[in-house]
Every structure is written in structure tokens, then in C-alpha cells.
Amino acid sequence: MTNLRTLDLNLLVVLRQLLEDRHVSRAGEQLGMSQPAVSRALQRLRAMFDDPLLVRTPRGFELSARAEALLPELSQWLDEAERLVSRPVFDPATSTQVVRFYGPEPEVGWFLPPLFERMRRLAPGMVLEVNSEPRDHFEPLERGDVHFVVTPFEPSASTAQLHSLRLAPLSLALVMSKDNPLAQGPLTLDRIAAASHGLVSLTGRGGGMVERDLIEQGQLSPGERLNQPLRLSSFASIPAFCERSDIVFRLPHRFAEELARGRNLVVRETPPQTTKEVTYAHLYWHERFHKDPMCRWIREQLKAGQV
């Protein structure tokens, strides 16, 4: 059996040209090789296959029986090898691929509808699959379950295999009942720290961004806990809880406005000092999809569709 590690693929390219042209000089012209170089390659091929391959006759070279049988298989094999190493082609107009996203509801509702609008116009056969169930945001990326994560959070572990793109800044606001004491009067850090807060816990761990920011501002001491009598695993029921209690949620402003529309709720801007720095949403993807042409196209469309 031939050892493939010793096989020179260049010889097979020369062989196909020789068998198609049945002429050493003409094959050399097609390959950009000299006639002596092609003749040497033919000698090596004859030794490799233990067959004359090209047989000289009064009419010129003719294919041996082995070469006749070999040519179609050789051409198919080399064509497949070329496809194997060539850059994959992505045509959005004909693609039926599924692109999978994970992210919390506010960011999904903000960034992905414009992307989907562009997909429906430019890639009507593609499918956008979105998962917002509570979990560690970056586990699906590590496992390869999704192509992208859109989130305001940062990975806590190593990011060596993750790529990211910063999206729009997230303006934060408080949403509460119109009857909540915080709905009226100055919105100070003292009043925010003393309020009853709700938390949408996506991971089931930690006290949330409000508690972290108040600790950083010195409003809470390290180890002190914010009053958080309500923890949810979904954003959908926030309006109902806020309307019937003194609970306050801090959410992206645009999402808070959508939740409050038509409800007995009010949305108030958070004081600038409640956050240490501007919060941005980010798009994350794993190294395994970094060069994938479909994923590159999706990133371009998401950037183009930002509003």
C-alpha cells in the first residue's frame, strides 16, 4: 500500500495535465513548467504507478489502459481537493443556514430586530434562532451551541478564544409604579440605595449591577447587601410586579420605556453618578467561527443595522 505521507500531490496535478493533453510540451505550457521538468515528472509517475501511462504510437502518445481508468477518478479527486482547501463561499441570497444567538431580552430586542430585517431582505432563506433563557452568557459560546452572544456583561474567565465588537452604549433607567415614592422628588443615591429592588438573575449568582455600582460609589459598604426582595429569571413579568408593589428595576432605558407603555408605571433616568462608567453592549463570538464567511456577513449586517 502506498504511504500517503510520501505522496507528492504536485505529481498528480502534472499527471492529470499529461493525460488530458497527451503531449509533454503542451502539458508543460499549461502548467508553466519546462519540457525537461515535465519529462522527469512523467518518469517518476511511471515508477509510482508501475505503468507507462503514456504510450508512444505513430499517432503520438496514447493512454495506457491504467491511465484510461485513472483519468476520471484523478480529475474528480483533484477537484474535491481544490474545494477542500479553497475559501468557503457564502451567498446570502441562496443560503438556508441557521444563525444562532444568545442574549438577555433587552439586548436581543434592541439589536436583533434590525439584523433580522436586513436578513429578510438580503438572505430570505436564512433562519435566525435566538435563545434568552437564563444561564451563564458565555457557556453557549464555549460549547459551540451558538454563533454569537449579545450582552452588556463581560466574561469572567479567559477571553483568549473570544472576539468581541462593541455595540451601542446602554442608557440605564429605573422603572417603577407611578405610586412608588421614588416616582416623585429628587432621585438621589441615598433614596435609590434605600429602595426595594428587583433583580433579573440570569446566572443565579451575585447581587446584580445596581448593588455593584452602589458599592463602587461608596453608597454600600463591601459585603453589605442591597434590599432585593424579588428575583426573576425573565424580564416579561417585571411590569406586573412593579405595578402591584414598591419594587424598582434598573433596565436599559429603551427597554424600560417599552415595558412601561400602557401600564401604571413611570421611567426615570438614573443619576449619572450611579454608574462608574458608560455601559456598552457587546457582540461576542468564538474563535471557531471567526473566519466563517456566514458569521462574518452577520457581523457586517449587525453593524450596518444599528439604530
Side-chain angles (χ1 to χ4, degrees):
M1 181 178 292
T2 302
N3 188 341
L4 290 178
R5 288 180 298 177
T6 65
L7 182 62
D8 186 348
L9 294 182
N10 290 320
L11 282 178
L12 298 183
V13 175
V14 174
L15 176 60
R16 177 168 65 174
Q17 197 67 53
L18 281 168
L19 299 187
E20 289 177 347
D21 291 339
R22 305 185 186 194
H23 196 284
V24 174
S25 297
R26 197 154 49 238
E29 292 173 1
Q30 294 293 325
L31 295 168
M33 297 173 61
S34 67
Q35 189 271 339
V38 176
S39 295
R40 288 194 296 272
L42 178 57
Q43 294 305 314
R44 292 178 61 190
L45 286 163
R46 284 168 167 165
M48 179 191 302
F49 286 93
D50 191 24
D51 188 88
L53 300 174
L54 290 178
V55 180
R56 190 180 297 276
T57 71
R59 300 180 301 277
F61 282 115
E62 297 289 345
L63 301 187
S64 69
R66 176 77 186 277
E68 289 277 8
L70 187 62
L71 180 56
E73 292 186 15
L74 176 63
S75 295
Q76 180 181 356
W77 190 86
L78 288 176
D79 288 343
E80 290 176 354
E82 288 175 358
R83 286 194 295 270
L84 181 66
V85 299
S86 63
R87 177 174 295 182
V89 176
F90 172 73
D91 179 10
T94 59
S95 175
T96 57
Q97 290 178 260
V98 177
V99 56
R100 296 179 174 85
F101 272 82
Y102 175 77
E105 292 169 22
E107 286 69 34
V108 162
W110 186 350
F111 296 105
L112 297 193
L115 169 65
F116 187 61
E117 180 183 16
R118 296 181 68 85
M119 288 175 61
R120 294 302 298 152
R121 178 162 46 88
L122 302 175
M126 288 189 67
V127 176
L128 176 64
E129 185 176 289
V130 183
N131 189 339
S132 292
E133 66 184 33
R135 64 167 72 177
D136 184 304
H137 290 196
F138 300 96
E139 284 182 1
L141 280 183
E142 295 293 343
R143 291 198 304 267
D145 293 342
V146 298
H147 298 100
F148 298 103
V149 164
V150 55
T151 178
F153 300 102
E154 297 179 356
S156 57
S158 171
T159 60
Q161 295 298 311
L162 295 184
H163 298 266
S164 67
L165 171 68
R166 192 168 76 175
L167 303 175
L170 297 176
S171 172
L172 300 176
L174 298 177
V175 60
M176 67 200 78
S177 167
K178 292 179 179 178
D179 302 320
N180 192 301
L182 274 186
Q184 304 293 330
L187 202 55
T188 64
L189 285 177
D190 287 342
R191 295 185 71 198
I192 292 174
S196 298
H197 290 263
L199 172 66
V200 178
S201 179
L202 300 175
T203 65
R205 302 187 296 272
M209 296 175 66
V210 176
E211 182 176 280
R212 183 201 67 191
D213 291 342
L214 289 173
I215 290 174
E216 290 178 350
Q217 295 298 322
Q219 199 65 36
L220 295 176
S221 60
E224 187 178 0
R225 304 309 300 267
L226 190 66
N227 180 24
Q228 292 179 322
L230 177 65
R231 286 175 176 253
L232 303 176
S233 63
S234 169
F235 292 85
S237 57
I238 287 177
F241 279 100
C242 286
E243 280 184 323
R244 301 175 67 90
S245 71
D246 61 344
I247 287 294
V248 176
F249 278 86
R250 189 175 75 170
L251 301 168
H253 189 281
R254 179 171 168 176
F255 184 65
E257 292 281 3
E258 292 175 358
L259 290 182
R261 190 173 298 122
R263 310 294 293 255
N264 187 43
L265 300 175
V266 64
V267 176
R268 300 200 66 185
E269 297 283 353
T270 55
Q273 66 268 29
T274 57
T275 53
K276 186 175 181 181
E277 57 188 18
V278 177
T279 300
Y280 285 88
H282 284 79
L283 179 74
Y284 291 92
W285 63 95
H286 197 274
E287 172 67 22
R288 65 170 64 87
F289 294 123
H290 186 55
K291 299 284 188 180
D292 181 80
M294 182 272 283
C295 291
R296 293 175 66 175
W297 185 82
I298 288 292
R299 296 197 298 268
E300 293 168 359
Q301 300 310 307
L302 191 142
K303 287 190 292 184
Q306 281 195 56
V307 292

